[in-house]
Amino acid sequence: MTSVNPQKTIGKHHLEYLDRGIMLTRYEGDVDEHQMQELMDFIQPLMSTEKTVVYITDMSRMGKFTPEARRLISTNTATPAGQEVHIYMVHATMMTRAAMQLVITAAKLATRSRFQLKSFNSVEEAVTCARAAVRELAPA
């Protein structure tokens, strides 16, 4: 019997829960407030109980987040205390990496979770690193 990973398509954006604690999001085009809410509603139940989570975000075809979508992200305080959060950006521009660093800094101040931001040139490289991180940080 083959296990199927939960997946969802919202507009042109695709989410896939790859492994325990690892979520891959492939953005295509702009992201509005309603799409962001749907993305968060899909991700939260799958990731909220994990001690270590890795969000892999393929930005190669991403447009922009609307101001409302950015506001929704910034007000989301659902990260459990003490959760180790890794955000792996694939094909992120210099401006995106700088903006995400500001978001991560604000999240560190607002929660008791630990955040780490990394940049990759391919989804495959990010997935390999994510699986190693989850294995390394998993409780024995």
Side-chain angles (χ1 to χ4, degrees):
M1 184 170 140
T2 305
S3 169
V4 176
N5 294 343
Q7 299 181 34
K8 184 166 184 145
T9 299
I10 299 167
K12 294 181 181 179
H13 318 296
H14 185 73
L15 295 92
E16 183 178 1
Y17 184 75
L18 298 179
D19 288 320
R20 184 174 175 185
I22 303 173
M23 179 67 66
L24 171 62
T25 305
R26 295 178 190 267
Y27 290 107
E28 187 167 331
D30 295 344
V31 182
D32 67 26
E33 174 184 21
H34 303 291
Q35 291 170 331
M36 182 53 64
Q37 186 63 58
E38 276 192 71
L39 290 160
M40 290 176 9
D41 290 346
F42 177 75
I43 292 169
Q44 226 163 345
L46 293 167
M47 304 294 266
S48 64
T49 60
E50 302 295 337
K51 187 72 175 154
T52 302
V53 297
V54 182
Y55 297 102
I56 302 170
T57 305
D58 182 353
M59 300 176 159
S60 59
R61 298 176 74 155
M62 185 175 90
K64 64 180 177 8
F65 289 106
T66 65
E68 296 81 10
R70 287 194 305 270
R71 194 172 10 262
L72 190 59
I73 294 169
S74 68
T75 60
N76 179 23
T77 57
T79 303
Q83 189 175 57
E84 181 88 22
V85 180
H86 298 250
I87 299 172
Y88 291 179
M89 299 178 298
V90 180
H91 303 295
T93 65
M94 180 75 79
M95 288 294 286
T96 300
R97 289 194 303 264
M100 283 301 297
Q101 192 59 55
L102 290 173
V103 170
I104 295 301
T105 300
K108 285 179 181 179
L109 295 172
T111 70
R112 292 188 318 236
S113 297
R114 292 181 306 273
F115 290 84
Q116 184 177 86
L117 185 64
K118 288 187 178 180
S119 199
F120 293 90
N121 293 319
S122 74
V123 170
E124 295 76 18
E125 181 185 6
V127 169
T128 299
C129 189
R131 288 184 171 136
V134 168
R135 258 193 325 271
E136 177 183 318
L137 297 169

